[in-house]
Amino acid sequence: MKHDSEPVPDWPEGAWPPGTRVRVIKDPDWDGPYPVEFYGTIAGTQVPFPVRNGRGHEGELVYEVRFDEPQHDSDGLGPYRGGEVWGRYLVAENTA
């Protein structure tokens, strides 16, 4: 059985590893991607991949995040227990 703390093969160099605690933040320019800030954990079920959108930043990754509590997105859909979140909306939490 694979644990979240064990990197998945082909995990991008420099990407946060599975098990990293993160805070999902709002964009300062719009009410999204979620209307509130909350906490979650980088999941090891999907390898982070580059943002495939013209608005993505150079080298920005999309992470699969498992939310601590189910959340509704800025469109009111959900609740979701997790989802794909662009790196710009994640802040790693200091767990030390």
Side-chain angles (χ1 to χ4, degrees):
M1 177 177 203
K2 186 154 213 43
H3 297 284
D4 275 348
S5 61
E6 299 174 23
V8 174
D10 300 320
W11 202 262
E13 186 175 329
W16 290 324
T20 300
R21 295 286 299 153
V22 293
R23 181 169 39 102
V24 179
I25 62 170
K26 290 175 49 173
D27 189 297
D29 297 324
W30 66 289
D31 192 27
Y34 294 90
V36 298
E37 294 189 359
F38 57 90
Y39 294 90
T41 304
I42 301 294
T45 54
Q46 178 176 292
V47 175
F49 59 90
V51 171
R52 297 180 186 118
N53 183 300
R55 295 182 182 141
H57 296 160
E58 180 73 29
E60 184 174 13
L61 296 174
V62 177
Y63 289 88
E64 181 72 23
V65 179
R66 188 174 48 243
F67 305 156
D68 288 359
E69 296 188 18
Q71 300 294 324
H72 288 86
D73 65 18
S74 58
D75 293 326
L77 301 175
Y80 300 109
R81 293 188 175 279
E84 295 178 351
V85 182
W86 292 14
R88 75 179 75 180
Y89 301 121
L90 298 173
V91 176
E93 291 298 301
N94 183 358
T95 57

